mmCIF file with all atom_site columns, all heavy atoms in Angstrom:
data_model
loop_
_atom_site.group_PDB
_atom_site.id
_atom_site.type_symbol
_atom_site.label_atom_id
_atom_site.label_alt_id
_atom_site.label_comp_id
_atom_site.label_asym_id
_atom_site.label_entity_id
_atom_site.label_seq_id
_atom_site.pdbx_PDB_ins_code
_atom_site.Cartn_x
_atom_site.Cartn_y
_atom_site.Cartn_z
_atom_site.occupancy
_atom_site.B_iso_or_equiv
_atom_site.pdbx_formal_charge
_atom_site.auth_seq_id
_atom_site.auth_comp_id
_atom_site.auth_asym_id
_atom_site.auth_atom_id
_atom_site.pdbx_PDB_model_num
ATOM 1   N N   . ARG A 1 118 ? -12.186 -7.215  -14.903 1.00 97.00 ? 118 ARG A N   1
ATOM 2   C CA  . ARG A 1 118 ? -13.161 -6.700  -15.870 1.00 97.00 ? 118 ARG A CA  1
ATOM 3   C C   . ARG A 1 118 ? -13.772 -5.380  -15.406 1.00 97.00 ? 118 ARG A C   1
ATOM 4   O O   . ARG A 1 118 ? -13.928 -4.447  -16.197 1.00 97.00 ? 118 ARG A O   1
ATOM 5   C CB  . ARG A 1 118 ? -14.294 -7.725  -16.092 1.00 97.00 ? 118 ARG A CB  1
ATOM 6   C CG  . ARG A 1 118 ? -13.907 -8.958  -16.879 1.00 97.00 ? 118 ARG A CG  1
ATOM 7   C CD  . ARG A 1 118 ? -15.148 -9.686  -17.377 1.00 97.00 ? 118 ARG A CD  1
ATOM 8   N NE  . ARG A 1 118 ? -16.142 -9.912  -16.332 1.00 97.00 ? 118 ARG A NE  1
ATOM 9   C CZ  . ARG A 1 118 ? -16.160 -10.979 -15.545 1.00 97.00 ? 118 ARG A CZ  1
ATOM 10  N NH1 . ARG A 1 118 ? -15.216 -11.908 -15.673 1.00 97.00 ? 118 ARG A NH1 1
ATOM 11  N NH2 . ARG A 1 118 ? -17.106 -11.141 -14.635 1.00 97.00 ? 118 ARG A NH2 1
ATOM 12  N N   . ARG A 1 119 ? -14.091 -5.304  -14.129 1.00 97.00 ? 119 ARG A N   1
ATOM 13  C CA  . ARG A 1 119 ? -14.703 -4.076  -13.600 1.00 97.00 ? 119 ARG A CA  1
ATOM 14  C C   . ARG A 1 119 ? -13.711 -2.906  -13.650 1.00 97.00 ? 119 ARG A C   1
ATOM 15  O O   . ARG A 1 119 ? -14.098 -1.780  -13.944 1.00 97.00 ? 119 ARG A O   1
ATOM 16  C CB  . ARG A 1 119 ? -15.199 -4.312  -12.177 1.00 97.00 ? 119 ARG A CB  1
ATOM 17  C CG  . ARG A 1 119 ? -16.447 -5.184  -12.108 1.00 97.00 ? 119 ARG A CG  1
ATOM 18  C CD  . ARG A 1 119 ? -17.060 -5.169  -10.726 1.00 97.00 ? 119 ARG A CD  1
ATOM 19  N NE  . ARG A 1 119 ? -18.358 -5.837  -10.750 1.00 97.00 ? 119 ARG A NE  1
ATOM 20  C CZ  . ARG A 1 119 ? -18.569 -7.076  -10.302 1.00 97.00 ? 119 ARG A CZ  1
ATOM 21  N NH1 . ARG A 1 119 ? -17.556 -7.783  -9.806  1.00 97.00 ? 119 ARG A NH1 1
ATOM 22  N NH2 . ARG A 1 119 ? -19.775 -7.606  -10.349 1.00 97.00 ? 119 ARG A NH2 1
ATOM 23  N N   . MET A 1 120 ? -12.456 -3.185  -13.334 1.00 97.00 ? 120 MET A N   1
ATOM 24  C CA  . MET A 1 120 ? -11.462 -2.116  -13.376 1.00 97.00 ? 120 MET A CA  1
ATOM 25  C C   . MET A 1 120 ? -11.277 -1.622  -14.816 1.00 97.00 ? 120 MET A C   1
ATOM 26  O O   . MET A 1 120 ? -11.190 -0.403  -15.050 1.00 97.00 ? 120 MET A O   1
ATOM 27  C CB  . MET A 1 120 ? -10.131 -2.602  -12.809 1.00 97.00 ? 120 MET A CB  1
ATOM 28  C CG  . MET A 1 120 ? -9.081  -1.502  -12.694 1.00 97.00 ? 120 MET A CG  1
ATOM 29  S SD  . MET A 1 120 ? -9.519  -0.193  -11.503 1.00 97.00 ? 120 MET A SD  1
ATOM 30  C CE  . MET A 1 120 ? -9.063  -0.990  -9.949  1.00 97.00 ? 120 MET A CE  1
ATOM 31  N N   . LYS A 1 121 ? -11.252 -2.538  -15.755 1.00 98.00 ? 121 LYS A N   1
ATOM 32  C CA  . LYS A 1 121 ? -11.112 -2.158  -17.160 1.00 98.00 ? 121 LYS A CA  1
ATOM 33  C C   . LYS A 1 121 ? -12.291 -1.288  -17.606 1.00 98.00 ? 121 LYS A C   1
ATOM 34  O O   . LYS A 1 121 ? -12.110 -0.245  -18.255 1.00 98.00 ? 121 LYS A O   1
ATOM 35  C CB  . LYS A 1 121 ? -11.008 -3.393  -18.043 1.00 98.00 ? 121 LYS A CB  1
ATOM 36  C CG  . LYS A 1 121 ? -10.816 -3.110  -19.538 1.00 98.00 ? 121 LYS A CG  1
ATOM 37  C CD  . LYS A 1 121 ? -10.536 -4.401  -20.296 1.00 98.00 ? 121 LYS A CD  1
ATOM 38  C CE  . LYS A 1 121 ? -10.272 -4.144  -21.768 1.00 98.00 ? 121 LYS A CE  1
ATOM 39  N NZ  . LYS A 1 121 ? -11.515 -3.964  -22.538 1.00 98.00 ? 121 LYS A NZ  1
ATOM 40  N N   . ALA A 1 122 ? -13.488 -1.701  -17.234 1.00 97.00 ? 122 ALA A N   1
ATOM 41  C CA  . ALA A 1 122 ? -14.675 -0.920  -17.593 1.00 97.00 ? 122 ALA A CA  1
ATOM 42  C C   . ALA A 1 122 ? -14.643 0.466   -16.961 1.00 97.00 ? 122 ALA A C   1
ATOM 43  O O   . ALA A 1 122 ? -15.028 1.464   -17.598 1.00 97.00 ? 122 ALA A O   1
ATOM 44  C CB  . ALA A 1 122 ? -15.943 -1.667  -17.153 1.00 97.00 ? 122 ALA A CB  1
ATOM 45  N N   . ARG A 1 123 ? -14.152 0.532   -15.721 1.00 96.00 ? 123 ARG A N   1
ATOM 46  C CA  . ARG A 1 123 ? -14.077 1.827   -15.011 1.00 96.00 ? 123 ARG A CA  1
ATOM 47  C C   . ARG A 1 123 ? -13.086 2.753   -15.681 1.00 96.00 ? 123 ARG A C   1
ATOM 48  O O   . ARG A 1 123 ? -13.338 3.954   -15.871 1.00 96.00 ? 123 ARG A O   1
ATOM 49  C CB  . ARG A 1 123 ? -13.669 1.591   -13.550 1.00 96.00 ? 123 ARG A CB  1
ATOM 50  C CG  . ARG A 1 123 ? -13.708 2.836   -12.670 1.00 96.00 ? 123 ARG A CG  1
ATOM 51  C CD  . ARG A 1 123 ? -15.142 3.222   -12.378 1.00 96.00 ? 123 ARG A CD  1
ATOM 52  N NE  . ARG A 1 123 ? -15.223 4.375   -11.509 1.00 96.00 ? 123 ARG A NE  1
ATOM 53  C CZ  . ARG A 1 123 ? -15.142 5.642   -11.924 1.00 96.00 ? 123 ARG A CZ  1
ATOM 54  N NH1 . ARG A 1 123 ? -14.956 5.895   -13.211 1.00 96.00 ? 123 ARG A NH1 1
ATOM 55  N NH2 . ARG A 1 123 ? -15.237 6.637   -11.068 1.00 96.00 ? 123 ARG A NH2 1
ATOM 56  N N   . ILE A 1 124 ? -11.936 2.220   -16.038 1.00 97.00 ? 124 ILE A N   1
ATOM 57  C CA  . ILE A 1 124 ? -10.890 3.014   -16.688 1.00 97.00 ? 124 ILE A CA  1
ATOM 58  C C   . ILE A 1 124 ? -11.342 3.489   -18.071 1.00 97.00 ? 124 ILE A C   1
ATOM 59  O O   . ILE A 1 124 ? -11.130 4.637   -18.462 1.00 97.00 ? 124 ILE A O   1
ATOM 60  C CB  . ILE A 1 124 ? -9.578  2.199   -16.793 1.00 97.00 ? 124 ILE A CB  1
ATOM 61  C CG1 . ILE A 1 124 ? -8.968  1.971   -15.400 1.00 97.00 ? 124 ILE A CG1 1
ATOM 62  C CG2 . ILE A 1 124 ? -8.575  2.896   -17.708 1.00 97.00 ? 124 ILE A CG2 1
ATOM 63  C CD1 . ILE A 1 124 ? -8.529  3.201   -14.658 1.00 97.00 ? 124 ILE A CD1 1
ATOM 64  N N   . GLU A 1 125 ? -12.002 2.597   -18.816 1.00 97.00 ? 125 GLU A N   1
ATOM 65  C CA  . GLU A 1 125 ? -12.432 2.943   -20.172 1.00 97.00 ? 125 GLU A CA  1
ATOM 66  C C   . GLU A 1 125 ? -13.479 4.050   -20.194 1.00 97.00 ? 125 GLU A C   1
ATOM 67  O O   . GLU A 1 125 ? -13.619 4.764   -21.193 1.00 97.00 ? 125 GLU A O   1
ATOM 68  C CB  . GLU A 1 125 ? -12.977 1.699   -20.875 1.00 97.00 ? 125 GLU A CB  1
ATOM 69  C CG  . GLU A 1 125 ? -11.897 0.686   -21.246 1.00 97.00 ? 125 GLU A CG  1
ATOM 70  C CD  . GLU A 1 125 ? -12.464 -0.597  -21.818 1.00 97.00 ? 125 GLU A CD  1
ATOM 71  O OE1 . GLU A 1 125 ? -13.620 -0.950  -21.485 1.00 97.00 ? 125 GLU A OE1 1
ATOM 72  O OE2 . GLU A 1 125 ? -11.738 -1.260  -22.589 1.00 97.00 ? 125 GLU A OE2 1
ATOM 73  N N   . LYS A 1 126 ? -14.200 4.218   -19.091 1.00 96.00 ? 126 LYS A N   1
ATOM 74  C CA  . LYS A 1 126 ? -15.235 5.245   -19.019 1.00 96.00 ? 126 LYS A CA  1
ATOM 75  C C   . LYS A 1 126 ? -14.676 6.643   -18.739 1.00 96.00 ? 126 LYS A C   1
ATOM 76  O O   . LYS A 1 126 ? -15.377 7.634   -18.898 1.00 96.00 ? 126 LYS A O   1
ATOM 77  C CB  . LYS A 1 126 ? -16.253 4.881   -17.935 1.00 96.00 ? 126 LYS A CB  1
ATOM 78  C CG  . LYS A 1 126 ? -17.168 3.731   -18.318 1.00 96.00 ? 126 LYS A CG  1
ATOM 79  C CD  . LYS A 1 126 ? -18.115 3.388   -17.173 1.00 96.00 ? 126 LYS A CD  1
ATOM 80  C CE  . LYS A 1 126 ? -18.999 2.194   -17.524 1.00 96.00 ? 126 LYS A CE  1
ATOM 81  N NZ  . LYS A 1 126 ? -19.860 1.806   -16.385 1.00 96.00 ? 126 LYS A NZ  1
ATOM 82  N N   . GLU A 1 127 ? -13.425 6.713   -18.298 1.00 95.00 ? 127 GLU A N   1
ATOM 83  C CA  . GLU A 1 127 ? -12.828 8.013   -17.972 1.00 95.00 ? 127 GLU A CA  1
ATOM 84  C C   . GLU A 1 127 ? -12.487 8.784   -19.253 1.00 95.00 ? 127 GLU A C   1
ATOM 85  O O   . GLU A 1 127 ? -11.685 8.329   -20.065 1.00 95.00 ? 127 GLU A O   1
ATOM 86  C CB  . GLU A 1 127 ? -11.552 7.816   -17.124 1.00 95.00 ? 127 GLU A CB  1
ATOM 87  C CG  . GLU A 1 127 ? -11.810 7.485   -15.684 1.00 95.00 ? 127 GLU A CG  1
ATOM 88  C CD  . GLU A 1 127 ? -12.573 8.575   -14.951 1.00 95.00 ? 127 GLU A CD  1
ATOM 89  O OE1 . GLU A 1 127 ? -12.230 9.764   -15.126 1.00 95.00 ? 127 GLU A OE1 1
ATOM 90  O OE2 . GLU A 1 127 ? -13.513 8.236   -14.214 1.00 95.00 ? 127 GLU A OE2 1
ATOM 91  N N   . GLU A 1 128 ? -13.079 9.955   -19.398 1.00 94.00 ? 128 GLU A N   1
ATOM 92  C CA  . GLU A 1 128 ? -12.903 10.752  -20.617 1.00 94.00 ? 128 GLU A CA  1
ATOM 93  C C   . GLU A 1 128 ? -11.443 11.088  -20.906 1.00 94.00 ? 128 GLU A C   1
ATOM 94  O O   . GLU A 1 128 ? -11.018 11.099  -22.052 1.00 94.00 ? 128 GLU A O   1
ATOM 95  C CB  . GLU A 1 128 ? -13.699 12.058  -20.502 1.00 94.00 ? 128 GLU A CB  1
ATOM 96  C CG  . GLU A 1 128 ? -15.126 11.933  -20.987 1.00 94.00 ? 128 GLU A CG  1
ATOM 97  C CD  . GLU A 1 128 ? -15.816 13.270  -21.040 1.00 94.00 ? 128 GLU A CD  1
ATOM 98  O OE1 . GLU A 1 128 ? -15.136 14.283  -21.366 1.00 94.00 ? 128 GLU A OE1 1
ATOM 99  O OE2 . GLU A 1 128 ? -17.011 13.318  -20.756 1.00 94.00 ? 128 GLU A OE2 1
ATOM 100 N N   . ASN A 1 129 ? -10.677 11.382  -19.878 1.00 97.00 ? 129 ASN A N   1
ATOM 101 C CA  . ASN A 1 129 ? -9.305  11.847  -20.087 1.00 97.00 ? 129 ASN A CA  1
ATOM 102 C C   . ASN A 1 129 ? -8.263  10.733  -20.197 1.00 97.00 ? 129 ASN A C   1
ATOM 103 O O   . ASN A 1 129 ? -7.072  11.004  -20.280 1.00 97.00 ? 129 ASN A O   1
ATOM 104 C CB  . ASN A 1 129 ? -8.901  12.802  -18.951 1.00 97.00 ? 129 ASN A CB  1
ATOM 105 C CG  . ASN A 1 129 ? -9.667  14.106  -18.995 1.00 97.00 ? 129 ASN A CG  1
ATOM 106 O OD1 . ASN A 1 129 ? -9.953  14.612  -20.077 1.00 97.00 ? 129 ASN A OD1 1
ATOM 107 N ND2 . ASN A 1 129 ? -10.022 14.643  -17.842 1.00 97.00 ? 129 ASN A ND2 1
ATOM 108 N N   . ILE A 1 130 ? -8.723  9.466   -20.172 1.00 98.00 ? 130 ILE A N   1
ATOM 109 C CA  . ILE A 1 130 ? -7.772  8.349   -20.289 1.00 98.00 ? 130 ILE A CA  1
ATOM 110 C C   . ILE A 1 130 ? -7.841  7.739   -21.677 1.00 98.00 ? 130 ILE A C   1
ATOM 111 O O   . ILE A 1 130 ? -8.915  7.383   -22.163 1.00 98.00 ? 130 ILE A O   1
ATOM 112 C CB  . ILE A 1 130 ? -8.053  7.250   -19.239 1.00 98.00 ? 130 ILE A CB  1
ATOM 113 C CG1 . ILE A 1 130 ? -7.797  7.780   -17.820 1.00 98.00 ? 130 ILE A CG1 1
ATOM 114 C CG2 . ILE A 1 130 ? -7.161  6.028   -19.490 1.00 98.00 ? 130 ILE A CG2 1
ATOM 115 C CD1 . ILE A 1 130 ? -8.076  6.773   -16.722 1.00 98.00 ? 130 ILE A CD1 1
ATOM 116 N N   . SER A 1 131 ? -6.677  7.624   -22.320 1.00 98.00 ? 131 SER A N   1
ATOM 117 C CA  . SER A 1 131 ? -6.568  6.880   -23.581 1.00 98.00 ? 131 SER A CA  1
ATOM 118 C C   . SER A 1 131 ? -5.842  5.577   -23.260 1.00 98.00 ? 131 SER A C   1
ATOM 119 O O   . SER A 1 131 ? -4.630  5.574   -23.022 1.00 98.00 ? 131 SER A O   1
ATOM 120 C CB  . SER A 1 131 ? -5.781  7.693   -24.617 1.00 98.00 ? 131 SER A CB  1
ATOM 121 O OG  . SER A 1 131 ? -6.479  8.863   -24.978 1.00 98.00 ? 131 SER A OG  1
ATOM 122 N N   . LEU A 1 132 ? -6.592  4.484   -23.225 1.00 98.00 ? 132 LEU A N   1
ATOM 123 C CA  . LEU A 1 132 ? -6.048  3.181   -22.881 1.00 98.00 ? 132 LEU A CA  1
ATOM 124 C C   . LEU A 1 132 ? -5.535  2.509   -24.150 1.00 98.00 ? 132 LEU A C   1
ATOM 125 O O   . LEU A 1 132 ? -6.274  2.351   -25.123 1.00 98.00 ? 132 LEU A O   1
ATOM 126 C CB  . LEU A 1 132 ? -7.132  2.324   -22.226 1.00 98.00 ? 132 LEU A CB  1
ATOM 127 C CG  . LEU A 1 132 ? -6.771  0.901   -21.817 1.00 98.00 ? 132 LEU A CG  1
ATOM 128 C CD1 . LEU A 1 132 ? -5.652  0.892   -20.792 1.00 98.00 ? 132 LEU A CD1 1
ATOM 129 C CD2 . LEU A 1 132 ? -8.007  0.193   -21.249 1.00 98.00 ? 132 LEU A CD2 1
ATOM 130 N N   . VAL A 1 133 ? -4.254  2.134   -24.149 1.00 98.00 ? 133 VAL A N   1
ATOM 131 C CA  . VAL A 1 133 ? -3.609  1.578   -25.349 1.00 98.00 ? 133 VAL A CA  1
ATOM 132 C C   . VAL A 1 133 ? -2.815  0.334   -24.980 1.00 98.00 ? 133 VAL A C   1
ATOM 133 O O   . VAL A 1 133 ? -2.069  0.329   -23.989 1.00 98.00 ? 133 VAL A O   1
ATOM 134 C CB  . VAL A 1 133 ? -2.658  2.618   -25.996 1.00 98.00 ? 133 VAL A CB  1
ATOM 135 C CG1 . VAL A 1 133 ? -1.900  1.993   -27.164 1.00 98.00 ? 133 VAL A CG1 1
ATOM 136 C CG2 . VAL A 1 133 ? -3.438  3.836   -26.470 1.00 98.00 ? 133 VAL A CG2 1
ATOM 137 N N   . GLN A 1 134 ? -2.961  -0.722  -25.771 1.00 97.00 ? 134 GLN A N   1
ATOM 138 C CA  . GLN A 1 134 ? -2.098  -1.884  -25.591 1.00 97.00 ? 134 GLN A CA  1
ATOM 139 C C   . GLN A 1 134 ? -0.785  -1.607  -26.305 1.00 97.00 ? 134 GLN A C   1
ATOM 140 O O   . GLN A 1 134 ? -0.740  -1.433  -27.523 1.00 97.00 ? 134 GLN A O   1
ATOM 141 C CB  . GLN A 1 134 ? -2.755  -3.144  -26.169 1.00 97.00 ? 134 GLN A CB  1
ATOM 142 C CG  . GLN A 1 134 ? -1.909  -4.396  -25.963 1.00 97.00 ? 134 GLN A CG  1
ATOM 143 C CD  . GLN A 1 134 ? -2.704  -5.675  -26.174 1.00 97.00 ? 134 GLN A CD  1
ATOM 144 O OE1 . GLN A 1 134 ? -3.653  -5.946  -25.428 1.00 97.00 ? 134 GLN A OE1 1
ATOM 145 N NE2 . GLN A 1 134 ? -2.343  -6.439  -27.184 1.00 97.00 ? 134 GLN A NE2 1
ATOM 146 N N   . GLY A 1 135 ? 0.283   -1.558  -25.559 1.00 97.00 ? 135 GLY A N   1
ATOM 147 C CA  . GLY A 1 135 ? 1.589   -1.253  -26.131 1.00 97.00 ? 135 GLY A CA  1
ATOM 148 C C   . GLY A 1 135 ? 2.678   -1.421  -25.092 1.00 97.00 ? 135 GLY A C   1
ATOM 149 O O   . GLY A 1 135 ? 2.413   -1.378  -23.881 1.00 97.00 ? 135 GLY A O   1
ATOM 150 N N   . GLU A 1 136 ? 3.900   -1.589  -25.548 1.00 97.00 ? 136 GLU A N   1
ATOM 151 C CA  . GLU A 1 136 ? 5.042   -1.810  -24.647 1.00 97.00 ? 136 GLU A CA  1
ATOM 152 C C   . GLU A 1 136 ? 5.998   -0.630  -24.726 1.00 97.00 ? 136 GLU A C   1
ATOM 153 O O   . GLU A 1 136 ? 6.620   -0.382  -25.764 1.00 97.00 ? 136 GLU A O   1
ATOM 154 C CB  . GLU A 1 136 ? 5.778   -3.094  -25.037 1.00 97.00 ? 136 GLU A CB  1
ATOM 155 C CG  . GLU A 1 136 ? 6.985   -3.380  -24.157 1.00 97.00 ? 136 GLU A CG  1
ATOM 156 C CD  . GLU A 1 136 ? 7.815   -4.558  -24.663 1.00 97.00 ? 136 GLU A CD  1
ATOM 157 O OE1 . GLU A 1 136 ? 7.424   -5.157  -25.681 1.00 97.00 ? 136 GLU A OE1 1
ATOM 158 O OE2 . GLU A 1 136 ? 8.865   -4.830  -24.053 1.00 97.00 ? 136 GLU A OE2 1
#
Side-chain angles (χ1 to χ4, degrees):
R118 288 197 310 271
R119 287 191 171 102
M120 186 65 80
K121 182 172 183 280
R123 186 73 178 83
I124 291 296
E125 288 174 333
K126 287 178 182 177
E127 283 298 316
E128 272 188 35
N129 292 324
I130 294 179
S131 295
L132 179 61
V133 175
Q134 182 164 296
E136 179 187 358

